[in-house]
Amino acid sequence: MIDFHCHIDLYSDPAAVVAHCEQQGFYVLSVTTTPSAWRITASLAKGCARIRTAIGLHPQLAAKRASELRLFDEVLPGTRYVGEIGLDGSPELADSWSKQMEVFAYILRSCERVGGRIMSIHSRRASTEVLDHLEQHPAAGVPVLHWYSGSKKELIRAVDLGCWFSIGPAMLWSRSGQILVSMIPKERVLTETDGPFVQLNGLPLQPGDTGEVVSFLSTEWGTTGEATIGMLSDNLTRLVTRWT
Ligand code: MN
């Protein structure tokens, strides 16, 4: 199973989560919300060949933690993965909007400077602005839009810009999310959980809780579960080897 956007460091027992991933052979992108969280989060997965740790600055924290951008730049040469980054246009974050854009643009420029990175991107209520920024920084790397929830029109634009998509169970819990998932080209899809933020029946999703997505994609694509898993695994290989 592939979980391309999971906050391992935010579970109550991160070591147990890592051990479970290792035992099950899950491929996990362990994203961080602040640059200062990177070192400890990366050390949790030390020696785990299938867990990669991304350096991030979540848009909800971008304004408060902009001072950590220097640390972001220090860590960046040593990792091929960046996230969680992006923009959040929710009304409660309106005060930080201009700072969010400043931080996001800064991060994209940093990624360009080091030759591009694989980026896990948050775009809630901000898909147009996220895509505008990506368009202005084409050398920043490969954008993977996590839990995309924008319009169909912007989804088509995102595909044209070369974006990939990581899809979690929560995207399937609304009809509009299902329609978006059905529009994404097969070769640009990965799975995710966004655990522990996403909960089911009061419990956080665990890495690898992506079976519901695999079933949905199998129906969409007319493939067996096994073939769907094979396709997702080919996608991951293609994404990662291009950026080795
Ligand atoms: Mn997240």
Side-chain angles (χ1 to χ4, degrees), residues 106-160:
Y106 180 97
I107 288 174
L108 294 175
R109 281 196 301 273
S110 292
C111 291
E112 286 186 312
R113 202 162 44 234
V114 295
R117 290 292 183 263
I118 295 170
M119 305 175 288
S120 185
I121 301 177
H122 176 113
S123 59
R124 185 166 61 182
R125 296 188 179 216
S127 52
T128 299
E129 293 83 355
V130 163
L131 296 179
D132 289 346
H133 278 76
L134 294 174
E135 206 164 38
Q136 284 159 26
H137 300 278
V142 184
V144 182
L145 299 182
H146 124 77
W147 196 343
Y148 175 82
S149 58
S151 67
K152 294 183 203 171
K153 196 172 154 227
E154 292 294 48
L155 186 143
I156 293 164
R157 183 180 168 215
V159 171
D160 289 342

Side-chain angles (χ1 to χ4, degrees), residues 5 7 31 58 84 146 194 197:
H5 184 109
H7 298 264
V31 294
H58 195 289
E84 178 165 0
H146 124 77
D194 202 13
F197 287 119

